[in-house]
Structures are given as C-alpha cells and as structure tokens.
Amino acid sequence: MSKPYVLVVDDEPDIRALVKEILEDEGCEVRVAQDGEHARAALRERDPDLVLLDIWMPDIDGISFFKQNLALQQPKIPVIVMSGHGTVETAVEATRLGAYAFLEKPLSLNKLLPAVEGALAAAKTDAAPDKAAARRATLEAQLIGKSALMQHLREQIGRLAQYDMPVLLLGESGSGKGAAARYLHALSGRKGKPFVELRLAALPEASFEVMLFGQEEGAQITPGAFERAAGGTLYLANVEVLPAPLQARLVNVIRNGSLVRVRGVQEIKTSVRLVSSTRVDLAGLVEEGEFHQDLYHGLKGAVIAMPPLREHVEDVPDLLNFFVDALVVKQNLPYRHFPLPVQNRLRNYQWPGNVRELVNLVRQLLISASLEEIALEEVEALLKPALPSADNFLHEMFARPLREARDYFEKAYLEYHLQQEGGSVGRVAKIAGVERTHLYRKMRALGVEMKPGK
C-alpha cells in the first residue's frame, strides 16, 4: 500500500516547510500549495488522502475554498482546517462543512499529528464497506501476542463484545488502546456498522461540542461523531480532556441510551456503543472535582486494563514480525531481517513508549540502512543515545562560554528525556513545558536526532 498522500495549503512558506518535514517524517507523501490556485491544480492532478487547509490565503479564504472545491465536489477527502485567527465561529463553520478537525496556529504538534492520524484512519473507516477495506480494518484491529496476558486480554474483550455496555480502556500511552477498541468493535454485533474514532486531545476545545454532537442551523443539521457512528461504535480517546459542560451532556446521553434530536415533532434517536480511553487516573480526578462522577461511572460499564509492553515482552518477536510485514506492505519500506540476538535484546528492553515505540523503532530500522540483516549495534544506537557521565558533563559544560554551555546543556537535556520517553517528542514537550513545534526547531538547531513523533 502506498504512503498516505497529504496536500498542505498555506500561504506561509515556513509553515508549509515545517508541516511537510514533520509529515514526511511520519511516513506521508506531502505536496504543498501556497494559495487556492495552486491547490486547485494539485487537486486536478491527484486526489489526496488528506488536506490541511489554511483559512487565510491571498486569493481566497479557506472556508470558501472548502465549500467550492472539497465539501461538494470531493466530500470523501478528509480536511483539517488551520487558522492563526481561530474563532468559535470559524471552527463551527469548518466542522459544519465536514472538516475532521480545526487547529489553531501556532500549530501544536501534539495536536497536529494525532489529528492527521485520526483523519486518515477515519477516512479508511468511512470509505468502504467493500471486502478489501473490511480486511484492512480487521488487520488494524488485531491484538498481537501469544503471552498469557494477551490471551487473557483477547478473551476478556471477546466476552464484553457480546454486550452493549460502555467500556473504559485504561493504559499508558502507546499501549494499544485504539487497537483494543477496534478489536472490540470487530467482534461485536455492530461490526457491520461504522467505527468512528474521536481523539479529543487532537481537537481545539472550541470544536468539541460540534464534533461530538453536531450542530443545527434551521433545517440544516451537521452530524457529529454520535450520528456518524449510528448503530456502530464511537471511540472517545483521551476522555479526561472533556470540559465540564460536555461531561454533563455526555452523562445525559448515556442515561438516555441514545442521542436524541428533535426534527419538527419527530424525535430521532441515535444509538452507539460507547468505548472510551484514558491514561490518567479518572477516579483521582473525580475526587479532586475535575471529572464528573456520574460520567466516570457511566463510562466504566466495564473496564479493560491495557498491559504495558514491558509486562509481556515475550510478545516482542511476534510484534516485530507483524509490524515489519505491515510497514513493508502499507508504506512500501524495504524488508529487513531481525536476527535472534537483536530480538533477544529487544525482549530485554523496558519499552517506556510501549507498542508505539516499538513500531517507530521498526520503521527507523527499516529505512536506516541498505543491509538486509539488522545489526545489534544499530539497535543499541537507537535504544541508548550516548550521554556523558555526570562528572564529564559538568566539566565540559563549565569549560565553555555561556552560550555554548547553554546549548550543551539543552542538547543533553533533550537527549536524556527522549531516551526516557521512548523517543516521544510529544511527551518531552510536555516535560520541558514548550510547544512541540518549538521543540522540533530546537532539536534541529542543536543537532538532536529527529525521530518520528508519537
């Protein structure tokens, strides 16, 4: 399968270049356009899998371009709208037209990347009742591993799939909560209906309500995620970020068993299987008054704990084989072999970034060299960035002029936290307290190795 093809439309050269570089690092093929005219030419040549569209352009505004060239003519292409002058009205209009997400500038990479990933996944889910698409969806929903933990997990999900109760998935970032949600849907009686995934952390808060519940303007109704998932499964990732008013509204939907919309004198009810996930302690948030108690109990009709990879490392060889095959087929990457010493080394690694870290490691190794067999030295270089000892580090830093000492410290600081966080730039950005876009620039300026974000 070819790489996802993304069209980025923005009049700012720096934004175009930055987004292109980041998405190419994520395995996408990217074309850029600086205005509506060039974007229309790109659309005539080839249909993209996703469009990132700026609101303000020199020849046409993004909303008008969306209406004229995408919403009516090519409605199946997902669109992420970007704006440096974000307002609730603009977000609502974009989502009314069918935009997958609305992102405010300056772009936050920990929102951009999940939004891109979600839009591409949603397009696959919505696109096809055909058998090939069904096979792809089943492949994506697999939970790989022969360990007792994974067998128990599959059995637990299989039992719960028979019932329509809400399910709450708990687990660390990268532990496979999205795959578990798809697996649950694939085994349920709703498997022939839509699976809709909404990654709440990737959305601006102003668009939450419209994306979840839709919007009515007179006789015109823009469906939200509940209605797009009608009869199927709605998966809400990062449910902890929901603001209080929407938490209360979601409580009412769960109590009613459906989303009710009145059209004239007729009530239209939309029923879905609700699956949600979080990596934080929701019970603790309830105690602190930060999360609605009734919503917490409503979401956890059943609870599934996703094990971190370090607790079932015996599954690493199977995961390696699965993701090598998937990346070779889906992203056209060259095949490389993981010999037994490499597999054993990876089984003895702690995987702080879980399965997501393993996928990114496999991707880096497939594209990093021409030799078919992967060497242990390559793996060690990716798992353990060289860091100076404490004594040598202080000596080196204090021996430098102030500006060089600051750069030396910042480089070591970022390399250390990248190692601790399994290469996750998003988590390092949170630890450092900086925007991910700024962190990418800082890493580039300091010569810190750029790795695919998570």
Side-chain angles (χ1 to χ4, degrees), residues 22 24 40 120 122 133 138 165-166 168 198 242 276 295 314 316 320 338 367 388 394 406 412 424 451:
I22 291 167
E24 287 178 341
R40 280 188 288 268
L120 291 171
T138 302
M165 68 181 70
L168 177 62
L198 204 59
L242 274 175
S276 55
L295 178 57
E314 61 267 42
V316 165
L320 290 173
F338 283 76
I367 65 177
L394 291 175
R406 183 188 63 196
S424 171
K451 298 181 180 181

Side-chain angles (χ1 to χ4, degrees), residues 26-27 71 89 98 100 149 165 201 224 231 262 268 302 304 318 381 394 433 453:
E26 296 297 315
E89 291 77 13
Y100 177 82
L149 269 177
M165 68 181 70
V262 178
I268 307 297
I304 296 175
D318 286 335
L394 291 175

